[in-house]
Amino acid sequence: MSIQKNITSFKNNIPETVTLVAVSKTKPVSDIMEAYNAGQRIFGENKVQEMEAKWQELPKDIAWHMIGHVQRNKVKYMAPFVSLIEAVDSKRLLKEINKEAKKNDRVIKCLLQIKIAEEDSKFGLSEAEARELLASEAYQKYDNISVVGLMGMATFTDNEAQIRTEFKKLKRVYDDFSTTHKNFSIVSMGMSGDYPIAIEEGSTMIRVGSAIFGERN
Ligand SMILES: *Cc1c(COP(=O)(O)O)cnc(C)c1O
């Protein structure tokens, strides 16, 4: 299967309500251009400097999503161009993004990463922490960020029932927050191994790497 065919197949098979983020981390710019030439314009990376290097080199109509954990001292490198920061997992990071966005005279869109998996290793906020953050006085003052939804990763397991339960939880939290946060429009859930379940559970954004570009080393 070619990258081009994979992109076309995803575009033909996922519902119109679901946005495809092609996760190009570790992959060369030639692979990204193959997807680009098949019409793909949204790409996801998990390292700030790798994303910046690719942004420099590639067409400027690409929308870059940061999908990985971000260290605060790296925010400045992506603030001029990043389209969506999907994995905001602390108040301090949000503060830094607001600061760097202001310097660039931009409003940067963000998602809060909610911890839904059982594994301890996964980054993310609890439902209560996210609720507190969104209600905080500091958050109300951030004019250069817009939190537009939530992101989550299910446990890496063959147990479909468990994955489904975790996605259901994220969707429930998203629906709940959406009633008070009117600019919420994105619930990012689903990767190569679990995106069909995520879509069934109401995902509006899937992040797919290996099913498009092949396995990573
Ligand atoms: C790598 C990564 C993906 C894509 O994973 P695949 O299994 O290759 O589709 C999605 N989301 C995040 C946060 C990732 O780090």
Side-chain angles (χ1 to χ4, degrees), residues 23 25 46 67 151 153 191-193 207-211 216:
V23 176
K25 62 190 186 195
N46 70 340
I67 62 169
M151 182 273 229
M153 285 167 87
M191 316 184 3
S192 294
R207 309 175 310 273
V208 180
S210 46
R216 289 176 297 273

XYZ file of all heavy atoms in Angstrom, residues 23 25 46 67 151 153 191-193 207-211 216, ligand 1:
125
model
N -0.217 11.511 11.319
C 0.880 11.614 12.288
C 2.199 11.206 11.620
O 2.438 10.035 11.347
C 0.590 10.764 13.543
C 1.790 10.793 14.498
C -0.660 11.278 14.251
N 5.399 11.904 12.658
C 6.599 11.885 13.519
C 7.575 10.805 13.041
O 7.135 9.710 12.667
C 6.194 11.649 14.979
C 5.505 10.316 15.254
C 4.928 10.272 16.667
C 4.370 8.882 16.963
N 3.504 8.866 18.149
N 5.209 14.938 17.392
C 5.268 14.918 18.858
C 6.541 15.535 19.425
O 6.742 15.525 20.625
C 5.063 13.501 19.394
C 6.231 12.597 19.109
O 7.034 12.879 18.207
N 6.350 11.517 19.842
N 1.071 16.944 18.985
C 0.269 15.916 19.664
C 0.980 15.326 20.877
O 0.404 14.508 21.596
C -0.123 14.777 18.692
C 1.127 14.063 18.161
C -0.976 15.324 17.538
C 0.800 12.765 17.417
N -8.465 15.984 24.305
C -7.760 14.892 23.631
C -7.494 13.779 24.627
O -7.334 14.056 25.830
C -6.440 15.438 23.078
C -5.586 14.455 22.310
S -4.474 13.502 23.346
C -2.964 13.708 22.439
N -5.872 9.434 25.032
C -5.331 8.184 24.488
C -5.813 7.022 25.334
O -5.661 7.038 26.555
C -3.801 8.198 24.533
C -3.162 9.076 23.478
S -1.421 9.313 23.857
C -0.728 7.883 23.041
N -6.391 6.271 17.266
C -5.113 6.153 16.565
C -5.231 4.953 15.624
O -6.313 4.385 15.473
C -3.968 5.941 17.577
C -4.096 6.865 18.755
S -2.799 6.873 20.026
C -1.562 5.767 19.519
N -4.114 4.544 15.002
C -4.190 3.458 14.009
C -4.911 2.219 14.535
O -5.708 1.608 13.827
C -2.779 3.056 13.554
O -2.189 4.115 12.848
N -4.628 1.852 15.781
C -5.152 0.602 16.310
C -6.571 0.668 16.837
O -7.214 -0.379 17.023
N -6.000 10.657 15.071
C -4.570 10.905 14.854
C -3.939 9.596 14.398
O -3.729 8.693 15.206
C -3.921 11.382 16.155
C -4.658 12.551 16.832
C -4.029 12.886 18.184
N -3.858 11.714 19.032
C -4.789 11.242 19.848
N -5.960 11.846 19.996
N -4.550 10.151 20.559
N -3.669 9.502 13.101
C -3.264 8.218 12.534
C -1.861 8.292 11.936
O -1.608 9.102 11.046
C -4.270 7.772 11.456
C -3.849 6.426 10.875
C -5.680 7.687 12.035
N -0.961 7.459 12.445
C 0.412 7.430 11.945
C 0.708 6.180 11.144
O 0.706 6.191 9.910
N 0.949 5.082 11.830
C 1.444 3.871 11.158
C 0.484 3.325 10.094
O 0.933 2.763 9.102
C 1.789 2.795 12.196
O 0.775 2.665 13.148
N -0.808 3.499 10.266
C -1.751 3.000 9.248
C -1.679 3.800 7.951
O -2.190 3.375 6.916
C -3.192 2.993 9.788
N 6.865 2.699 12.458
C 8.034 3.520 12.768
C 9.127 2.643 13.358
O 8.850 1.616 13.949
C 7.660 4.602 13.802
C 6.767 5.699 13.252
C 6.365 6.673 14.354
N 5.583 6.035 15.394
C 4.242 5.892 15.340
N 3.551 6.322 14.312
N 3.599 5.282 16.324
C 2.256 8.450 17.669
C 0.950 8.998 18.121
C -0.227 8.738 17.392
C -0.275 7.864 16.162
O -0.002 6.530 16.492
P -0.245 5.332 15.437
O -0.474 4.162 16.290
O 1.019 5.258 14.638
O -1.408 5.711 14.608
C -1.408 9.327 17.842
N -1.442 10.105 18.932
C -0.334 10.365 19.656
C -0.464 11.245 20.860
C 0.879 9.818 19.288
O 1.974 10.082 20.028
